[in-house]
Structure formats: C-alpha cells, structure tokens
Amino acid sequence: MKRNCFAIKAILQLLNQPIKFFCMSASSGKRKVKNPRISKVSLPSVPSRPSLAKKRKFSALMQSPVTMEKVGTEKKLCIGNVIYLPIPVKSQNDKKEYRVLQLPNGMRVLLISDPNITETELPEMDSSKGVDNMAYSSAGEEDSEDGSEEEDVDEEGEEEEEGSESESDEESEMDPDSTESNGVDSGSTRKSKQIKEGERMAAAALCVNIGSFSDPPDLPGLAHFLEHMVFMGSSKYPEENAFDEFLKTYGGGSNASTDYETTTFEFEIHQRYFHQALEIFAEFFASPLLLPNSMKREKEAIDSEFQMALPSDSCRKQQLFASLAKDGHPMTNFTWGNSSTLKLVGDPDGSELNRRLRLFWQENYTADRMTLVLQSKHDLNQLEEWAISIFQGIPSTNSQPASPPSFKELGFPFDTPRFKRLMKVVPVKDVHQVCLSWALPSQLENYRIKPLGYLSWLIGHEGRGSLLAYLRRKVWALDLASGNDESGSDHNSTYALFSINISLTERGMSEIEQVIAAVFQYINMLKNQGPEERIWREIQTIEDLSFRYVEDSPPVENVETLSEHMHKYAPIDYITGDALIFDYKRDIISDCMNALRMDNVNIMILSKDFENADICCDIEPWFQTRYEAKDIPDEWKQIWSQALEGELPFALPEPNPFLASDFSLYDPSSVAASISVPTKIHCTEEGFSLWYRPDSKFRIPKAVLNFYLVTPVSTDSARNAVLLEILAKILKHQLMERVYDALVAQLELTIHHYDRGLVIKVSGFNHKLHLLISAIVEQFVRFEQDVGGEVFEAIREQQEKAYRNFCIKPSKIITDARLTLLHTSHWSVLEKCETVKDLTLEDLKLFSTRLKASFNLECLVQGNYSNEEALEVALSFKRNLQANGRLSDGALSPIRICQVPLGNKCCRLASFHPTDSNSVVVNYYQVGPTNMHQTAIMEILVNLMEEPVFDTLRTREQLGYNVYPTLRNTFGVLGFSISVDFQADKFRASHVDDRIEAFLNQFNQNLESMTENELQTRVQSLIKLKQVPDVSLDEEVSRNWNEILSEEYLFDRLQQEIEHLPLVSLDEIRSFFQLYGLSLNGSQRRKLSMQVVGNDKKNVDHNQKDDKIKLRFLAETDSSCSFIQDLNELRQTSMIFPPLKTFSGLPPTELPKCRKELKAVNIKKSNGSWNMSDNNSNLTTKDKTAKGKVCTNDNHQRLSAGVEDKEMDNLRKWFSDKLALGLGNRDLMEKPKVLQSLDLDGIVDYIKSGNAKNIITMAGAGISTSAGIPDFRSPSSGLYSKLCGFDLPYPEAIFEIEYFRKHPEPFFAMAKELYPKTFEPTPCHYFLRLLHKKGLLLRHYTQNVDALERVAGIPAEKLVEAHGTLHTSRCINPECRKEYDRKWMTEKVLSDVVPRCEQCKAVVKPDAVFFGEPLPERFRLVEEDFPNCDLLIILGTSLVVQPFASLVDRVPPRCPRLLINFEEAGNEDPVMVVLGFSCGLQFHGADNFRDVAWLGDCDEGCFLFAEKLGWKDELNELIEKGCESQDSVEAGAATEST
C-alpha cells in the first residue's frame, strides 16, 4: 500500500491553528452571469423575523434538536442535531476564525468571524482610515459588457494596461488592447465592484449544486432564468426591490451567477445590518414569489444579457465547443437562454413557463443541496445562532447533504469523431489564434494532486528552454496560455479540458503547422522525461509561500468562492483546495500527460483571414459563428511525427534563483510607523521624487516599488503616444525569458504606458526583489541593441489590430470619442490607428533613447524596506538608465478640458460592428471646475440616483441590461453621467435619451419629497465606507499611487472627503441638481449625449470596406438638440477651462479651515463658467497655488493629532457599554489587587488565604506525554504519523464518523497505540486528584480521551471529557447502543480485529467524539461551572482547539488564571488589546493583575506547586499507592467524596 506521508503535513497544519470543534484527541471561471440589482431610494420597513425556535444559549443549541414548524410546501423538513464538521486549514497569517456546521435540514454552513473588521459607531465621524477613493456607480456588475468574465482576458493574450489617460482620480482611457476596463471610467468613476475592493463589509453567499446542466431539454436557460427570479421578492418580503433597496441604503449590493453545475448568490452590507439582511436573503430560498409579471420582465433582461454576449469571441468559442459534445449530453445545452428558448409552444400568457419554473425551484433549490458562507465581525457563536435560526426554515428533502446530479451515466461527452477535428473559425476581433484542446476525465477528485496544474506550469512557462521562448525566437507567437481555468465549462463532473492557446503573428499564422509541431515536440519531451519531483516540489513551495502570505480578498468575493468550494472539497480543504498541492502522484500526472496526443486533439484556429475566404460556411445556431470543421490533414500529422524524431530545442526549467528564503521583517522607527501617509524623502537629485512609507500595519515580508518615468516626449504627438505603447510591449517581450522565474516565484512586474510616460511596477517578497529590478534596468539600457526588426513588426501589427478591435465595442468607442471632444491633448484611437501603420524600427529606437535621456522619475516605495534601502534602489534605477546624464526636453504641457456649451449637444455615431445591434447612450452633464465640497454634493447625488435609475430604466422599462449613473471628475472638471446599454432593434437612441430625461424629472421629485433624516442615512453610509481601513498592502499602495499618477498628492483625500460629506444639506443637493441636471429656465445645464448605435436589419449591410477606420456620424432633425459632426468641434468653438492640475504637489483648491468657512461656499446661478462663490473661483492656477494650503506631511500629522486617543477611548467605552466586553476603558479603570505577586508564589498565597474554593482545571496532551502517550502532533512518534500507512481520502477521514461507519479498520489499526495496558497516570493526574481530595476541585475539563483521570481516582462527576473518552465504548447501531468497558475493547483492539457488538454484530466505537458527532452532553456544564470559578489552572495545552480554548475567558473578571505548560499559550488577542479589552491570557504588560505562567515540564510544575503548598508528601503518597483497578478506584473515590 502506498504511503501517504502528506497526511502528516496536513494534520500538522490543522493542529497548529485555532481550530474550532476539533473533537478527537488521544491526549489533548466559470462563466459569470451578472445580475446587477440596485435598490430604491425609499427604505422599506423590514420587520423583525419571528424565530422558528426561541433564542437559546449556544450550549443549548449544540445538543437539543431544533424543532421547526412546518411551512406550506410539499418538501419535508428534517429535524435533528447540528453537526460540527472539521475546520478548514487556513494560512498562518489568516486572522479569521472558522467553524463548519451541518444544519438539521442538510445545509452545510461555513462561519467566518473576521477580527480585522471594525465598525465605527454612527453618527460619530471623527476618524478616517484609508479606503480607495470612492465614487458611486451602480454598474460595478458591468465589469464584463459581453456578459462574460472571460471577455476580461484579451483574446490576443495581452495583459491589461492600466490607464492610458487620466481623469483626475483617474478617468482612464480604455487601452486599445485592454479589455478589463470595458470602456468604463476608473478612478473617481469606479464601479461598485471596484469600490467594494476597499470595503470591509459583512457578506454572505449561498451556492446551490444545480446549474445549467440541469436545464430541461425543452427550456434551455431555465437555471439561469431562475437565478434572475430568486431575488424578485418572497412571501414574507414581497416588494420586488426591497432587498436591493435595503442593501444599497447601507452601503451594500448583491449579485448572482449561474455555472454548469452550480448557482451562486451573494451580498454584502454594513456589519450592523447583517442580521436583518440575512433574514431577507433566506426568505428568497424558503419562499420566492416567482411572479408572472416579474418573470416577463426578467425574460427581457435574460435576452438583453445574451444580446450583449453575441460579439464576445470567448462566448462564441465556448458555445461552438459545446456543440462538439455528443448528442444528449447536457454539455450541448444553450446555457444562456433568451426570449425564444424561454417560451413554450401553446403558452402565450407564460402560465406554463411559470409552473415549470416553480417546479424547477421546488425540485432543486432544497437546503440539502445548498452551501452557505457567512463572514462578519461577529463571533462564531453569534453567527451560528443566526445560521440555525434563520436558515433552518429552508425546505429540504433530506437531513444529509444531497448528492449532486450525476451525469456520468451519459458517458464521456467528447468521445466523438467531431471533436477530434480541425476547426477554422471567423472571430469578431481581428486576431490570429490557435487553440489545442484535449478532453480528459474529470479531475475534481484529484484536487490535492492537481495534475493539470503541473502540466500547465511547464507548458505555460516562458523562461529559457520553454515552448513560448522558442516560438518567440521564431517570431511565430507573442503569447501562450495553457491549462484549465476551473470554470464549469472547463472542468466539471463529466470532463476536464486542457487547452493551449497561442496568439500568433502573421508569420506564425502562415506556418501554423510548424507551430503545432513545436507544441507536440515539447509535450513529447515531457513524456520522455516524465514527471519531475524536483519541479513538483518547487511548485509546491511556491504555492505554499503564496498561501502563507496571501492577503485578504474582499469579503463578498471570499464568501462566493468558498461557497462554491464547499461543493468540491472536503471541509478541511475548503480554503486550501484550490490554492495548494498536497500529494505527489507520479502515475496520475503521467496519465494526464500521456492523454495529450495527436489522435485525440481538437484544433481550433481563429483568424479574420477566413472571413472572405470561401471556407467557413457552417453556422453555429446560437451565436451565428461561421466555421469549418474537417479532419486534420495527413500532411500535418506527417510533419508532426517527423518533428518528434528531430532534435528538441527545449529544456525543463532550472531551479528558480528568485525564490525568497529570507522573510525577516524590517522594524520601522516609532516616528516612521506613526505616519499614516507616504512622505517625500529629501534628495537633491535633479528630476527625482521619492515617496516612501514603511509597512507598520500588515507586517508581511513584501514590498511594492512603483516607478513613473514622466517625459513630455511621450504624448506630444499621436506618433509618440503609439511609440510609447509599443515600447512598453517590446520591453516586456524582451524581459520575459529572463525574468519569468521571478514571476513564478510570486514577484510581480507590470510595464505600461500612462498619461505622461512609462510606468514600471514591481512587487512581491522583498528578499529577491532587487534582482528583478536590476534585470529590468539592464534590459532597458540595452533596449535599442536588442530590439529586432521582426519582433518590432510583429508587435506593430498586433498594436494596429488592437486599435481596430478596440473600436468594435460601443462602450469603448464612446469613451474615446467623449475624451476626444473634451480633452485638448487626447489622441484618439482612430488617430493612433492611422499613425501606427507608418512607424519604423528606427523611430522606436530614437524614441526610446530620447525618453530615457529626458524623464523625471516619480517613485513610490512601500512595504518591507527601510528608507535608506528605498532611496538607494530608486536612485540606482534612475542613474543607471541615465548614466550619461539627464537632458531637458521641455516642460510638460498642461491638461485642459473643453467646456460643454449651455443646452443639449449630441454626438451620435454608428457602430463599427456590421451585425451587432448592441448600442450605448451616455448622457454626460458637466458642472465645471470642482472642489471638495462640490465633489461631496455630486457623490451623494450619484449615490441617491443609483437604485431608482436602475429600477426605472432597467427593471420597469427594460431599456437594457446595464443601466447606471457615474460620477465623473475629468482632470478637475466635475460632472455626472447616466449610461444605458440597449439593442438598436428594440429601441431608438432618441427614445432612450428621452427616457433618461424623464427619469431626471422624476428623480427631482424624489429629492423634493426626501427628508433630511433619509439624506443623513445615506451620507453616514458613505462616510462609513471611507472609514474602513485598507485590508491589504496592495490596496493601500494603489490608493497612494493614484495620487502620484494624478499629480495631486492628496494622500489624506479620504479624511478631507469625510469632513465635507456631513456638511452637505438637502437644500444644497436640490439646488445643485436643478442647476446642472435639469433643463429649467435659468439653469446652467450643459449636456453632452454620447451615443453609439448598433446595426439592425435595416443597415446590416454597412461595413468598412477599406483599411481606414472612419467615424460615421448620425443625426436627426431635432430642434432641442444640436448634433456634432466633428470631434474637434468643441476644441474649436467652446471655452477651454484653465489648467486645473498644479503639477507641483499642491491641491488645486483649499480645504476650508472650519465649518463656518465651508458654509460660505455656495452655489450661484451665473452665466459664468465657475458657478461657485468660493472666493478663489476667479484666480489663476498660480494664484490658487499661492493661496492654497500646502499638503505637507506636517499637515497630515496635524489632521490626526489629538484625535486618535479620544477616538480609542470612545470606542472602548462603546464596546464595553454595548457589548459587555472586558472591563471598559483601561486608562479610567483602577487595576484590582488580586494576587500578591504574579508568579507561582502569588497563586500559592491566594490558595492558602482561603480564596480558592472552586478550582477548575483544564488539561491537554501535555499532562499525558510522560505516561508514554504521544501528542498527536509529534512528527515521528505522534499518533498522526501512523496515518501514513492508510489509503485515506484525506488524513482527517480516520476520525470522521461517516468514514468510520464504512471503513472502521484504519482507526482500530491505529487504536492499538491508545489501548496498551502499560499506560498509568502521571504526577499531574494525581495532583488533580489531590485537589479533589482537598475539596477544592469544582470540575476538571480535559481534551484527552485516554481516561487517565479516571484511573488516577478522580470521580466521574468531577470530569468533563470535552472530546469524549476511551473508557467506555458503544455499539454504533442506534437501535442497540450496547455499552462495553475498556477491558473488553482493549482485548479486541490488541487482537487485531474490528470490535463487533455481541448482540447485533454492528461495529463498536469508543465514546471518543468523532468529526460529525455532537460534543458530549456534559460539556454544557460550562454554563454552570465557570461563573463560579475562583481559580483556573491550565495544564499542558496549547489552547488552540475550540471551543475548549475559549473557556479561559468564561471565568469571572477577577479570577486568577495559572498556566503550567512548556510554552505560553492562549495569549491575548492583539486586536482586542488595541480596543482595550481582555480576551485570552495576558502575561505581560502593566495591565496584567491575575495571569501567571509557569513554563516547563508539567509534572515538575505540579511537584513544585505541591511543595510550595505543603502537599508534597501527600502527592508522593498518592503516586506510590496508585490504583489497583478501575473498579476499586471508583469505589474509593466515591467513599472519599462522601
């Protein structure tokens, strides 16, 4: 039998963290279907939910069955106990606590208590802690406008290139080959998904193991349709938008997604309202309304979603691939659904569809198919109580989790001739791409091995000797991606896809058979060499390091991911299942490797070259994709076979030199650590600025170094703007082979163009970061020498295609057109597309030389670096690049914005896609130059507008799938916009424009009826979002880096915003909106309606026949709107605002010194362009700078001086008063005198003085080790080491009750270590008996199951064996339950037989508590014992296993606590220390008055303790006498007790 030694590692990981309810101790891609739902302005009345069971204490919930009332449903509710499952292994840096339950209705629940979450009591708003600069737009769900997240990855393999153009804070131009941004402004105009990245919210997710595979054959898309319908009201909360309204009011939001085998729902909200939100959320699954009226509207939403996905090449490719599956398999399903598939024949009113929808819900949405994850700041007991009381009412068909639907009987889906063919496909984008795919058996059960991950790591490698390095040298390809993305379409219960996607050059396309030959050559090399354990170990090390230092993800993303993991992995692997590799199984890796053959491959080639060729005549029916499928040519196979016999130009990767080994932390000085913002390091170097902040918060061995090479040459012409983009791409191309090992070793490198130059960012473990920076500089110095003509031409062609592809998407071209109209120096994509054609290699070399000689360096260093190291590396970076000195190349030209004329302007453009009806209207309303107060007004307005605009235009009028408002800060010019995506064959652009205007009029009425209290609720919600601290180093760096990129340097921007928000009045908002948002007499409204109209059947023949891309302006006769026919019109005819950025580190407007001054800033109706009476409004930029407040580090310190201590005192007092935590404010509390001294003598004096009459003792493995019983954690002799000999699915299975019922043999084979006759009690055990003999022992609580306390003579009534005992055993047959003593069980175990019941022949199990079993009934004595305890003695336990470890906090506040152990344990929680509360043992510090630690051997400690008490002789007598038999001991103990 193969030894599984990885079991030891897993067990050690498990036991060395705070694990909850560990009950066994011997001595101790997907395809996202976005469903944006925004709330209403009016807040619904949310009554408190009547509990199905009375609220009870936690201890009562653990044992007593929860009785649930029957609800009106055919589903049968199950009644039973809550079952506690193994706790997931987590990263050692993960401070969150976890607990896993199975509810009586079969639902599995993962509870996450997040101590990093803090909540400031509203309405106190004195402090600000960093989050990303907020702007509120409800289209965060619109992160993929094609309706597919996969579209976020560029089809040509290019990474996103962040911001190429900034609108302060920054409204980024959509990079032509960046698809992640999707035409949506960033920075100030972030969507909610981006906002949420900085919000520490409470979150919940529920995942049902039913997806699109379960669609009925006659109703494709029904699972997706039900996902849309679930949130549309419930019996208890019938209002359609009540939930979204509630979430939005309190800073949250919701979303849902449908995959092939799962459907997931998630939401987030402020902590205080989490319980209320859970009650509403649960009702959607207990009793959704599924109303016909709602159903009709959501059908339109489904159809719009599908229409938006039509031009997505990734979606088209996925559906085409699905068509290759064999008939009858659900893989062939059309999973999206649309208006035609969700319509039954003979069902004109939809009643039959409604019935089928309800039936689908009834059959599939049962609690036993659901997993639930709750994450909040609340403790685990509170979360458990909520989970039980709220979610047990969801109907179920089984008290155990149901098995997911099985599709295995349908067979392997791709074992068909039509799969193993060559396919040529006409894409939407102009790309050359080849994809090789193999369909393998499902690998879900091999998640601990991840064989496809091993293959992907090698085939996708980009270093020396790799496949891609060879293809790049041949100039056949620029990028390659391989592997399996773990989404349902790539990996499910029926198959696993392994794909190799290669982005080809023109040369590669012409020699494609040679490209594929190289792929098979590389695969053949891997097969010949076989799996390499060295490489596997390196991958494992890298993944372990990444997991160890992983930074938190936003709670809503975390709960969504984990809820899906709960259907894939064992409980212990919920967190690690997709992150780590555990087991090296050479044979399984080899099987997958050998499955990559020539005779079973599918080859899909995508190229625009096929469009006009008479070959792609077949049409995929759903997406109308043109393609051709044929057998792979024999001559190609012959070429490939010959290539296998030739010399291989490949090699496996060498050991990685970039792997970090030093993880020590730099300790910043107290002064540096106290500064919460970056400081500018003084340096006389010309053209050099360094901002630095050490990591005093996250304390991880990582650093971030960002370099911004600012130069006027970068954007002084369209030609240079294009050269900058090409330079960034080629520099990355040159570096990849050399530095790919660094990227594999968890270092990160980003190179991209920006507004005024080149950005280079490196981050990761700081130990080897300098090696990566050195490699970048060395390569950049050699750039001109190394760049070749073929590579230049390949990337120039790719860039030209990227510009063309950019224009396909309406949302992208509309953003580019708007910035071209407004921005005086913005180079449009069309201009770049024309310019790129004529560029030469010599142009690039000259540009590169000029850029390096003329740049100024702006640098930010944050993390595990000292300021000296930061200065050294930044100066070295600059000086090596400018070794010949720095040349001045002129001053930076200021960024200036055009003023939109008064009235209504419209720019209507025709879509570039000839067969795409997708259209966009973005109505932009410009205000003018902004300041903090105006921004606060606009921020509130947009927040108030989000839900009603979505509800009106999307939900009710069904204009389009994506509807959202956006705050826009365009280089200092404020405005807002409303965007609607729609289809040209459903609505006209003018109709959409009219409906937006109608909404604004209605919104004005909403503002008139709004109360000041309702406004303050929203304002406080916004403030609360800004007060939440950053949750990762990357998040903090991103926020600070944006200030540098925008050249505003307001690192305390959040503090300033928080100070302004509460000063905005309702009257101000009303006046502001009427002045700039409505077309009223005397208003200052400046509207620019940007429209891109898709092509319907009437103009479907429109196409660009020539190579030059031209805008086609559309117009209609409309007296109320002036149509634009030239993008240069505003530049030539309109007023241009003066420069609104200072470029000198000074804020453009002054922060008022007090509220009185701020109130003087009022709106004035004026014909001028500034419209604000802020006393600075007519100053030039120079004058404003002189009069403004310099935002120096001193100012930042003054902002927070004197506030922190007061805030902490208030916070402590609030927690103490409201939550009854600790003893309140430490500084105001007189420290009690409990012990004469904080040592063992102090405890002795305390006992001798008669204060200790009710002593509770707690014991762990440490008191039994001297008896010969090894601790489970001992690596060589521990009990867990015995697990290596068993073929277990995972190590903890041996202690799971369900596994034991089926496979008892492994446990009893190991149990021989637990039942030898030679184990005798230790001196510790007899010391405990002596306490009992003295009449001082109230109760002894033990984690151990060895029963040595009983052997020592402690009576049973004095014992609480928290994890059960081996003293007795019982038959597992519930109808028998015959009890057996230890002697009987010992004989059976030592005889190497599985103990069987003498009555019914069922297995007999020791009374130790297994995973999946409730804790012993006697554990409930905790509630009775601990409040009466006057001395707590803790012996030989690490205090990590819960709930045992938490018992130390159950004693009264003045009760002394003594720890006798080898090392300190149960130390106070540092988070609670900061808040001023006692939580855990506190051995150090001035506030300790009751905790004592004696460190050493437990037996020695007890001997010393007894000697000091004068009990030494009595203890020796007990030890010498021993116990003759268990019966006599118990009889003697009973007499003694009497």
Side-chain angles (χ1 to χ4, degrees), residues 617-791:
C617 301
D618 295 327
I619 305 293
E620 191 279 319
W622 297 111
F623 284 80
Q624 299 297 301
T625 305
R626 290 175 51 194
Y627 71 97
E628 177 193 65
K630 64 178 183 180
D631 293 335
I632 299 172
D634 291 337
E635 54 269 28
W636 284 21
K637 295 180 180 179
Q638 187 175 359
I639 292 172
W640 302 341
S641 298
Q642 292 172 353
L644 298 184
E645 300 172 0
E647 183 178 352
L648 297 179
F650 308 114
L652 293 177
E654 295 295 323
N656 195 326
F658 289 93
L659 276 178
S661 58
D662 182 358
F663 304 101
S664 58
L665 295 177
Y666 163 69
D667 190 15
S669 67
S670 58
V671 175
S674 66
I675 300 174
S676 61
V677 297
T679 56
K680 192 171 184 178
I681 302 297
H682 177 72
C683 182
T684 58
E685 179 84 6
E686 182 183 7
F688 176 81
S689 295
L690 170 62
W691 299 87
Y692 166 75
R693 170 162 152 70
D695 175 24
S696 58
K697 179 179 179 181
F698 302 103
R699 307 302 290 148
I700 56 176
K702 293 183 178 181
V704 180
L705 293 89
N706 292 349
F707 305 95
Y708 188 15
L709 286 65
V710 182
T711 172
V713 308
S714 60
T715 54
D716 59 4
S717 66
R719 181 187 187 87
N720 282 357
V722 175
L723 286 170
L724 180 64
E725 296 179 31
I726 293 177
L727 183 149
K729 285 182 169 59
I730 293 182
L731 181 57
K732 281 196 297 186
H733 181 90
Q734 291 176 337
L735 279 166
M736 270 309 106
E737 187 171 342
R738 180 176 180 182
V739 305
Y740 186 76
D741 277 338
L743 308 187
V744 168
Q746 302 301 304
L747 303 186
E748 296 182 13
L749 167 64
T750 303
I751 303 175
H752 64 80
H753 63 283
Y754 205 71
D755 297 333
R756 296 176 175 273
L758 187 70
V759 171
I760 299 175
K761 300 193 293 186
V762 295
S763 61
F765 295 115
N766 57 281
H767 181 210
K768 301 289 182 73
L769 207 52
H770 65 284
L771 298 179
L772 175 58
I773 297 172
S774 296
I776 296 167
V777 172
E778 290 172 11
Q779 186 58 56
F780 202 1
V781 168
R782 294 177 48 85
F783 180 85
E784 295 83 358
Q785 296 173 249
D786 291 349
V787 63
E790 291 181 338
V791 171

Side-chain angles (χ1 to χ4, degrees), residues 589-600:
I589 297 173
S590 295
D591 289 345
C592 292
M593 192 180 289
N594 293 330
L596 309 185
R597 305 190 308 272
M598 298 180 191
D599 63 347
N600 66 342

Side-chain angles (χ1 to χ4, degrees), residues 849-860:
T849 301
R850 186 178 168 195
L851 182 150
K852 287 186 288 187
S854 64
F855 73 82
N856 293 341
L857 183 63
E858 293 271 353
C859 184
L860 173 66

